[in-house]
């Protein structure tokens, strides 16, 4: 199970990641992309241009299937419990929303060392605290290299936690995920060629 947090510049990074991703990895992907609450998301149509995997918004509750991309809808948060993704309305209390942190924490609790968390381009620090949970649970943590990110705030914040197993371009991440699935030590120590 792979959680992917992204914000500004994230669509470009997601395109690069999924263009390089084999469609038969046996993994499921949950994309936590910060979205405007005021516009209908076209993320599923956009991602399906780059991959033949289905891209499904999680509107209520979805059982996780391999080789599928799940998407955060606007004004929602997603958590995972066991093998189910659950979408909930975001609280309207005006508090800062950190959907990547929330998802990564639930991912760590549900999937432990079978979890991977990725932080891509974005501003701010969402995802950084949740990465610590994934790492503590024995999962894999990958971060987009700040040089390759259109906006380096989220990647730099994630790197500053000290828990990133590898800092890579989006194109190099699929090989690291596949290495981790085969041998966790080689995935943790993955170096791009």
């Amino acid at each position: 199970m792979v959680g992917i947090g992204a914000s500004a510049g994230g669509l470009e990074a997601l395109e690069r990641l999924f263009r390089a991703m084999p469609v038969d990895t046996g993994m499921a992907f949950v994309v936590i992309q910060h979205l405007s609450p005021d516009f209908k998301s076209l993320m599923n149509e956009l991602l399906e241009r780059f991959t033949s995997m289905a891209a499904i918004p999680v509107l209520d509750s979805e059982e996780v299937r391999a080789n599928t991309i799940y998407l955060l809808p606007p004004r929602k948060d997603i958590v995972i419990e066991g093998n189910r993704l659950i979408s909930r309305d975001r609280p309207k209390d005006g508090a800062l929303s950190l959907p990547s942190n929330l998802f990564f924490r639930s991912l760590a609790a549900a999937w432990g060392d079978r979890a991977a968390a990725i932080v891509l381009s974005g501003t701010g620090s969402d995802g950084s605290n949740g990465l610590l949970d994934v790492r503590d649970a024995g999962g894999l943590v990958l971060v987009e290299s700040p040089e390759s990110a259109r906006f380096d705030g989220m990647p730099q914040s994630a790197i500053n936690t000290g828990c990133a197993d590898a800092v890579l371009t989006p194109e190099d991440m699929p090989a690291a995920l596949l290495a981790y699935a085969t041998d966790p030590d080689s995935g943790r120590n993955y170096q791009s060629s």
Side-chain angles (χ1 to χ4, degrees), residues 136-171:
D136 288 348
L140 178 69
V141 173
L142 302 177
V143 178
E144 182 174 2
S145 61
E147 304 78 41
S148 76
R150 181 175 290 180
F151 294 91
D152 66 1
M154 280 175 59
Q156 195 58 61
S157 179
I159 291 166
N160 292 346
T161 66
C163 74
D165 290 301
V167 177
L168 303 166
T169 66
E171 293 86 353

Side-chain angles (χ1 to χ4, degrees), residues 14-145:
L14 287 164
E15 175 182 353
R16 293 164 57 201
L17 174 73
F18 284 113
R19 280 193 190 278
M21 187 74 66
V23 297
D24 59 351
T25 62
M27 299 174 197
F29 303 89
V30 179
V31 174
I32 308 295
Q33 166 81 28
H34 293 192
L35 299 167
S36 168
D38 304 320
F39 298 99
K40 178 185 184 297
S41 174
L42 301 174
M43 182 65 72
N44 55 329
E45 291 96 331
L46 294 170
L47 285 180
E48 287 176 346
R49 291 182 192 170
F50 318 137
T51 177
S52 60
M53 284 188 276
I56 302 168
V58 180
L59 301 175
D60 183 24
S61 175
E62 290 280 341
E63 185 156 349
V64 173
R65 293 186 314 270
N67 306 318
T68 304
I69 302 167
Y70 297 93
L71 304 172
L72 174 71
R75 294 195 280 306
K76 298 275 191 180
D77 287 321
I78 294 177
V79 295
I80 187 162
E81 295 176 0
N83 214 32
R84 292 202 78 75
L85 291 165
I86 299 163
S87 174
R88 299 180 177 135
D89 289 335
R90 188 165 288 152
K92 294 183 173 135
D93 58 8
L96 179 64
S97 174
L98 299 171
S100 297
N101 277 339
L102 180 68
F103 181 73
F104 289 163
R105 286 193 168 120
S106 72
L107 178 63
W111 286 69
D113 63 359
R114 296 182 306 135
I118 295 174
V119 170
L120 298 175
S121 176
T123 58
S125 63
D126 187 23
S128 293
N129 289 335
L131 292 179
L132 295 167
D133 290 16
V134 171
R135 184 68 173 140
D136 288 348
L140 178 69
V141 173
L142 302 177
V143 178
E144 182 174 2
S145 61

